[in-house]
Amino acid sequence: MAKVNTAPIKWAQRSDSLYITIALPDVKEASVDLADETLKFKGKSESKEYEVDIAFFKPVDSEGSTYNVLPRSVVMHVMKKDKEEEEFWPRLLKDKALEKNQVKIDWDRYVDEDEEEEGFDTSALDGGMDMGSMGGGMPGMGGAGGMP
């Protein structure tokens, strides 16, 4: 049986949502299963098998979340479930030890809690798979399509 590798995860957050990137190029046979407390991903990249199986720090709204398989990564805009709290999480995963080994901060999308002014640019998710009925993106903000 082929060895299954753990896919690299990057994340950033706003008070109401998470932006998760599985940093694998040219993913084939992608399978994304987002539940309110877990995320499971399987896919092939460069003929190697990869997977992710994580439990979130707190529940998320899987119905209101979206994802898209792009040429260089799989991106997800995951809505936090508890809208009343609107607080930043101290980490992405319930398991602190797993977080150290599997998850990195997405510094390109990072903002400090007190500097949050707007949500994520979700234009990379346009045309992606809705996990509920959420539309997305900001008009006129095209993605970086065609870049190597």
Side-chain angles (χ1 to χ4, degrees):
M1 187 171 151
K3 178 179 182 272
V4 177
N5 301 290
T6 300
I9 302 169
K10 294 191 305 186
W11 80 296
Q13 68 178 316
R14 299 297 183 267
S15 57
D16 65 342
S17 64
L18 309 168
Y19 199 96
I20 300 170
T21 304
I22 298 174
L24 293 173
D26 300 320
V27 173
K28 308 277 187 269
E29 301 171 31
S31 159
V32 177
D33 179 16
L34 178 69
D36 286 354
E37 298 193 6
T38 60
L39 167 66
K40 292 178 174 42
F41 163 83
K42 284 186 180 169
K44 281 187 180 174
S45 175
E46 298 169 350
S47 71
K48 292 182 188 155
E49 299 265 344
Y50 286 91
E51 69 178 25
V52 166
D53 187 352
I54 59 173
F56 291 113
F57 179 71
K58 286 187 173 179
V60 298
D61 177 9
S62 58
E63 292 293 311
S65 301
T66 57
Y67 76 93
N68 200 359
V69 179
L70 300 173
R72 297 182 63 186
S73 63
V74 178
V75 293
M76 297 172 220
H77 186 225
V78 179
M79 303 308 291
K80 294 178 180 177
K81 187 164 217 126
D82 200 342
K83 303 273 190 272
E84 277 70 56
E85 280 188 33
E86 291 227 344
E87 66 177 26
F88 272 50
W89 295 359
R91 60 185 184 275
L92 177 64
L93 305 185
K94 197 172 269 192
D95 185 332
K96 216 176 200 173
L98 270 181
E99 178 110 10
K100 286 185 169 125
N101 297 328
Q102 289 189 6
V103 180
K104 292 185 172 41
I105 292 179
D106 187 343
W107 293 110
D108 295 335
R109 293 185 173 85
Y110 177 85
V111 296
D112 275 329
E113 196 168 349
D114 58 351
E115 293 175 3
E116 177 182 21
E117 290 178 16
E118 58 186 57
F120 292 107
D121 172 8
T122 58
S123 59
L125 294 159
D126 289 348
M129 306 296 292
D130 278 356
M131 293 183 199
S133 59
M134 185 175 119
M138 293 188 277
M141 300 287 289
M147 291 184 66

